[in-house]
Amino acid sequence: MNRITNTFRQPVGIAVLGGLVLMLILPVFIRPYPYWLHVLITAYFYAILASSWALLAGYGGQFSFAHMAFMAIGAYVGGLVTLHLNLPVIVSVVIGTLAAGLAGLIIGALTLRFKAAYLALFTIAFSEILRTIIRAEAQITRGDRGLKLDPLFPDSISRIPDYYVFALLLIISLAFMYWLVQSRTGLFIRAIREDEEAAAARGVDVVRYKVLVFVITSMIAGIAGAIFANYVTIITPNIIVIPQMGLVIAMAIIGGVESLIAAAIGAILIQISLELLREFGAWRMVIFGALLIVTLRFASAGLLATIFKRVFNLGPKAELRKGTVEGAAED
């Protein structure tokens, strides 16, 4: 308890606590503007995807293009279960999440023994195959017409309950991922990112932990997709297109791929900015692309992550002591 109290007395703890309070009270101010409430909900959805992809790429060193595909698996499996078996939404969300995790396990077991380039190519192919199957099997998935689902809160006339669901999901997912990277498992994952051969030489089961983080991030994407599908009440194969995956990756990179919080906040700010710039038409994507180029050129660690590191000294440790990894592996 003293450790938690001391943490929230630190600048980073105060900032996190302030962010949580802001998330809780925001609906009070934007309730008269349901459109912007929807924008925030969508921003939280992308924040979950961007932060979980940052865990996979920034901490695990695995560059995957299938994150949106796992999100779609969670959405479609959950939606089809609800549609054909008439199960409660919460049950369909659990089944969709497990289906995304199973898909992640199969893909991870097939590809994570090889170099990173194979994972990238395989996940691109997997995403395109999945999108083609969804479009082709229209008698099951409704194809391009879209699969219609029941809303999360059928009796609600406000989006506020949906807002708090996504806010809670974002908080829980960030807390879980932060706990994971601070655990012994997180130490192994970061050690593998730094040097697979050195980690393996000190007793770390490289494939096991690479598959583990791949499955975990797949399930996080799956649960986000399953819940978001019931929020928007219709899903189409267009959610798996490569530009959508590129958007999630860009959000994580601009925020900071080696910082979970920075990736999440980056996704929220970018989603809101894209809506504010909508009146500029196609030029808003030009501005977005220019921001990405500037980030890659002058702040490769991410714009927000660089700021957080200087202000709060927040970010992953770059150095991993060999003795620490070796000792943990032997336990």
Side-chain angles (χ1 to χ4, degrees):
M1 181 63 70
N2 290 334
R3 184 178 180 182
I4 296 175
T5 303
N6 291 335
T7 298
F8 280 102
R9 288 176 179 173
Q10 301 297 322
V12 61
I14 295 173
V16 170
L17 186 60
L20 293 176
V21 172
L22 180 62
M23 289 178 68
L24 292 175
I25 66 174
L26 263 178
V28 176
F29 300 100
I30 62 176
R31 185 171 184 174
Y33 310 99
Y35 174 76
W36 282 106
L37 200 58
H38 167 71
V39 171
L40 275 178
I41 292 171
T42 306
Y44 291 165
F45 165 70
Y46 278 111
I48 296 168
L49 295 177
S51 58
S52 56
W53 190 85
L55 172 63
L56 180 66
Y59 288 85
Q62 303 173 37
F63 203 95
S64 168
F65 285 95
H67 217 56
M68 293 300 286
F70 294 128
M71 182 276 296
I73 289 174
Y76 270 97
V77 171
L80 290 171
V81 165
T82 302
L83 185 64
H84 294 292
L85 300 182
N86 198 27
L87 294 177
V89 172
I90 184 65
V91 177
S92 67
V93 167
V94 172
I95 295 175
T97 303
L98 293 176
L102 178 60
L105 176 62
I106 295 172
I107 292 177
L110 289 175
T111 61
L112 293 178
R113 299 177 184 273
F114 306 108
K115 298 297 183 182
Y118 291 98
L119 176 63
L121 292 173
F122 191 97
T123 50
I124 289 175
F126 171 74
S127 298
E128 287 301 301
I129 290 171
L130 180 63
R131 186 169 68 90
T132 302
I133 291 174
I134 293 174
R135 295 187 67 184
E137 298 298 325
Q139 69 275 15
I140 300 175
T141 63
R142 307 284 175 86
D144 291 325
R145 292 176 297 171
L147 184 66
K148 294 183 179 180
L149 304 173
D150 295 330
L152 286 175
F153 301 95
D155 299 327
S156 176
I157 59 174
S158 170
R159 288 194 172 104
I160 290 182
D162 303 281
Y163 172 90
Y164 282 114
V165 166
F166 279 93
L168 183 62
L169 183 61
L170 175 58
I171 292 169
I172 292 175
S173 62
L174 283 174
F176 170 75
M177 289 187 288
Y178 181 78
W179 167 81
L180 179 67
V181 298
Q182 297 299 320
S183 66
R184 188 178 70 165
T185 299
L187 175 64
F188 292 159
I189 292 170
R190 285 179 284 139
I192 293 170
R193 177 199 64 189
E194 296 296 328
D195 193 329
E196 286 190 22
E197 294 181 358
R202 286 163 175 79
V204 178
D205 190 336
V206 173
V207 175
R208 174 187 174 187
Y209 285 100
K210 288 174 70 175
V211 172
L212 177 63
V213 71
F214 198 81
V215 171
I216 289 173
T217 54
S218 299
M219 293 180 71
I220 294 174
I223 191 173
I227 296 177
F228 191 74
N230 283 278
Y231 164 67
V232 296
T233 69
I234 187 168
I235 46 176
T236 68
N238 290 333
I239 61 175
I240 321 177
V241 294
I242 294 300
Q244 279 293 315
M245 185 66 244
L247 176 62
V248 172
I249 294 174
M251 287 174 168
I253 290 176
I254 291 174
V257 76
E258 294 185 355
S259 173
L260 300 174
I261 295 178
I265 297 176
I268 294 171
L269 294 179
I270 289 172
Q271 181 63 24
I272 294 173
S273 299
L274 288 176
E275 290 298 325
L276 291 173
L277 295 172
R278 186 173 291 276
E279 62 183 67
F280 291 94
W283 281 99
R284 65 179 184 142
M285 300 309 297
V286 174
I287 297 172
F288 177 65
L291 178 61
L292 179 60
I293 293 173
V294 170
T295 301
L296 293 172
R297 174 60 182 86
F298 298 103
S300 58
L303 290 178
L304 293 181
T306 302
I307 295 173
F308 291 168
K309 186 175 182 180
R310 292 186 178 183
V311 177
F312 304 118
N313 193 27
L314 181 65
K317 300 295 183 183
E319 62 280 352
L320 292 170
R321 292 176 296 179
K322 295 180 180 179
T324 304
V325 176
E326 184 176 4
E330 292 175 352
D331 287 343

